[in-house]
Amino acid sequence: MSEQQQDHTSETTDVEGHGGTHAVAAATAHGQSVVWTLSGAHVFPVYDAAVGGRDTVAAADGDTRRAEREGPLRLIDVRHEATAAFAAEATGKLTRTPGFAVVTAGPGVTNTVSAITSAWFNGSPMVVLGGRSPAGRWGTGALQELDHPPLVAPVTKAAFTITDPTQAAPELDRAFRLAGQPHRGPVFADIPMDVLFSHGSASAPTGAHDERPSVDDDAVARIARLLAEAERPVLVLGGDVWADGADTVAREVVTELGLPVIANGMGRGILPRGHECLVTRARSAAFSGADLVVVIGAPLDFRLGYGRFGGNDGAPPAAVVHVVDAPSQLAGHVELAAAAAGDLATILRGIADNYGRHRGADHAAWTSGLLERHRAAVAADAADLASDADPIHPARIYGELIPRLADDAVVIGDGGDFVSFAGRYIEPMRPGNWLDPGPYGCLGTGLGYGMAARVARPDSQVVLLLGDGAAGFSLMDIDTLVRHDLPLVMVVGNNKSWALEKHPMKFLYGYDVIADLQPTRYDEVAVALGAGGETVTDPAAIGPALDRAFASGVPYLVNVMTDTEVAYPRSTTGV
């Protein structure tokens, strides 16, 4: 066992029972309240422990839904294992503690691979427990016999098989701890069916967490000096600022220092819409004109020009500073002027404490200039947001939606062009309230993310924005929303195409193929599954339809037919 895999379990009372009891003990020790799953016999003991056993089910007087809700772990079963894993990933994003998915052996596990990979790219803490063919039958061709850990090892922090029922609690305790330890990510474990059904006794874990290593104070002081001396600095706040619990400190520090900020991923909302330092809509001018760019809690990937900034009007390239939650995340493809790794709140406080010790350059004019550009860009959106065009301009949907969003609304994007418009127009008021597929770009996250948001934020608006292409991946899980009483508002931007591919192919070749879809009545699919819904073809009808959706108290899908020819004006392709 590697150093990373060593058992640091804090022991209290004993756990008695089958392997499922031990698994649930570990999950609850780490604050889990929900297990996302799709029924499979290989993992029945986990369900038995989650509901509290036969006596608890009997006490529910035959109401199995009540038993599923009221046991030690709430059971939410979905229609495809990918949705279960995406829901676990979103739980990790929203709560900043690992989500938990349990799936059956073989195809149950392989159906989760895209979601696990998304969590790997997103740094989302989650634990996936898979069933496994019986150890006593291994090698004889048992049903769904597959060695899962090698399949997911490249996209997990650890992947292993539990071979003893009494080790289920300590090994899953390790899995939850590792998943939640920076840099966060998915951990996979499977357990053979005969082992999971076996009984035993073991000490129960308490869910204790390892302490983080200290921060390099000299590196922090160097970053502060570079910031103080820069004439045109820019800060990028990424999703790990939220995940690391540094969002409040980040807002305080950038406000105190008056530094211009670009928000990235779940870093959106750390500075609320209208904040005097938020200049996201002046992104191009900021990155091309900067002499120093400090990226905090985000990788230097295609979303940030691979870490190449500055050089505008013959100026030299900008110096780049990378601040991350763990040394493994430091960029190796960019020459860095400085770098720091560790607790992001500690690093941010250290930057603020050291900043005043240096004779700083005056960057007030630079910041105010970017803010003016940002506000001008926002003002220029007004015409499209109010467009009366027929067919409907996709921006009009956001013109109607944004005034109806509460400050604590959770907005989820699952799509290409339609969701790109959302990223342009929607600026969250609070951190942790924006979810999109992230740099892996995996469609089909939406329904899993949506149900996780409803569970994690029961009193908030939850709005799922779906491209019509993306809707095809997971729309059947509206059935899950209905069965488990998980109301949310779904808006499909239906342009009858794979627009993210259609327009670039037409640009490159003068034509496009395999990019057209039907003008499907996705609202009728929702209604057939027990939800509410309607189709909108008139821009003036969008607002009233959204009002009905928010007031319905049920899963409700608004299918808006939009103009196929309106393409999002993107500036990066990701390659």
Side-chain angles (χ1 to χ4, degrees):
M1 184 177 294
S2 71
E3 180 181 352
Q4 199 175 41
Q5 296 175 329
Q6 288 178 6
D7 178 26
H8 301 292
T9 305
S10 299
E11 299 181 353
T12 54
T13 58
D14 282 350
V15 178
E16 299 273 355
H18 53 54
T21 302
H22 291 258
V24 169
T28 55
H30 284 269
Q32 297 300 304
S33 60
V34 177
V35 56
W36 305 96
T37 192
L38 193 158
S39 186
H42 288 86
V43 290
F44 277 175
V46 177
Y47 304 151
D48 178 60
V51 299
R54 181 179 301 174
D55 292 343
T56 301
V57 175
D61 298 323
D63 184 349
T64 56
R65 286 285 176 233
R66 176 183 161 192
E68 291 164 2
R69 289 192 306 268
E70 297 181 359
L73 281 177
R74 180 180 179 181
L75 285 172
I76 298 182
D77 63 309
V78 301
R79 298 299 301 270
H80 194 291
E81 286 91 355
T83 299
F86 280 128
E89 189 213 352
T91 299
K93 285 184 169 186
L94 291 161
T95 67
R96 300 187 280 203
T97 58
F100 188 36
V102 175
V103 295
T104 197
V109 172
T110 57
N111 281 343
T112 69
V113 171
S114 287
I116 291 172
T117 307
S118 285
W120 174 254
F121 275 81
N122 290 333
S124 304
M126 65 182 291
V127 173
V128 177
L129 177 64
R132 185 179 173 98
S133 295
R137 287 285 187 186
W138 197 258
T140 65
L143 175 67
Q144 297 171 343
E145 181 180 303
L146 179 67
D147 189 16
H148 310 116
L151 292 177
V152 295
V155 289
T156 56
K157 297 184 72 174
F160 54 89
T161 298
I162 299 169
T163 58
D164 182 337
T166 65
Q167 288 301 302
E171 286 290 80
L172 286 175
D173 175 67
R174 172 171 69 86
F176 279 104
R177 187 186 307 112
L178 183 59
Q181 174 185 322
H183 183 63
R184 298 160 185 85
V187 174
F188 174 83
D190 64 7
I191 182 166
M193 188 176 185
D194 48 354
V195 174
L196 191 61
F197 274 82
S198 297
H199 285 244
S201 174
S203 297
T206 63
H209 294 279
D210 297 330
E211 293 186 5
R212 299 179 67 170
S214 59
V215 170
D216 184 340
D217 292 335
D218 291 339
V220 173
R222 174 170 171 75
I223 295 169
R225 179 178 62 78
L226 289 170
L227 268 173
E229 294 175 352
E231 296 180 354
R232 300 181 304 281
V234 174
L235 257 66
V236 176
L237 298 180
D240 287 335
V241 178
W242 159 256
D244 217 34
D247 46 297
T248 298
V249 173
R251 183 171 58 254
E252 292 171 350
V253 168
V254 299
T255 302
E256 175 189 344
L257 303 184
L259 298 168
V261 168
I262 305 292
N264 175 278
M266 287 196 78
R268 296 162 64 95
I270 293 175
L271 299 189
R273 182 177 64 250
H275 192 283
E276 65 271 18
C277 293
L278 184 64
V279 298
T280 297
R281 293 297 303 280
R283 178 189 185 101
S284 178
F287 285 161
S288 63
D291 61 0
L292 174 70
V293 177
V294 179
V295 178
I296 305 176
L300 300 180
D301 59 17
F302 70 93
R303 296 170 298 172
L304 294 175
Y306 303 99
R308 296 190 294 269
F309 308 104
N312 192 33
D313 296 329
V320 180
V321 171
H322 204 194
V323 178
V324 294
D325 59 7
S328 63
Q329 299 307 297
L330 287 170
H333 63 283
V334 177
E335 183 179 349
L336 300 175
D343 180 79
L344 296 182
T346 299
I347 293 172
L348 282 159
R349 288 191 193 97
I351 290 172
D353 290 343
N354 283 276
Y355 186 89
R357 299 173 185 173
H358 304 280
R359 183 175 181 179
D362 184 4
H363 54 71
W366 161 251
T367 302
S368 63
L370 292 177
L371 184 59
E372 288 177 11
R373 285 175 177 262
H374 170 85
R375 289 172 174 168
V378 172
D381 294 336
D384 285 343
L385 292 171
S387 173
D388 287 326
D390 182 11
I392 295 170
H393 193 296
R396 177 63 184 268
I397 299 172
Y398 298 107
E400 298 293 341
L401 176 62
I402 291 169
R404 290 170 167 83
L405 292 176
D407 285 358
D408 65 345
V410 179
V411 179
I412 302 158
D414 182 11
D417 253 35
F418 181 57
V419 172
S420 295
F421 281 105
R424 180 187 186 98
Y425 297 128
I426 294 178
E427 198 65 66
M429 292 299 291
R430 298 182 185 178
N433 285 13
W434 169 267
L435 294 175
D436 61 30
Y440 190 52
C442 185
L443 298 184
T445 61
L447 269 293
Y449 279 19
M451 59 185 70
R454 173 47 67 219
V455 171
R457 310 281 174 81
D459 299 321
S460 298
Q461 291 175 330
V462 177
V463 179
L464 170 58
L465 304 167
L466 289 161
D468 54 328
F473 284 85
S474 64
L475 210 60
M476 194 67 191
D477 264 302
I478 289 177
D479 171 77
T480 303
L481 301 179
V482 172
R483 286 184 294 110
H484 289 278
D485 189 22
L486 301 171
L488 54 91
V489 173
M490 294 162 279
V491 181
V492 176
N494 190 343
N495 59 13
K496 308 177 294 299
S497 69
W498 296 99
L500 191 60
E501 285 68 40
K502 182 180 181 69
H503 298 292
M505 186 173 184
K506 185 175 288 188
F507 173 78
L508 289 172
Y509 292 96
Y511 69 91
D512 65 89
V513 294
I514 60 167
D516 294 317
L517 300 171
Q518 294 291 329
T520 303
R521 289 289 304 271
Y522 295 105
D523 58 307
E524 292 184 348
V525 176
V527 170
L529 293 170
E534 58 188 283
T535 282
V536 175
T537 57
D538 179 354
I542 298 171
L546 291 173
D547 290 336
R548 287 187 288 273
F550 282 119
S552 69
V554 300
Y556 199 103
L557 189 149
V558 181
N559 183 45
V560 185
M561 307 305 297
T562 64
D563 190 346
T564 307
E565 297 306 313
V566 176
Y568 181 76
R570 63 188 65 258
S571 59
T572 180
T573 63
V575 294

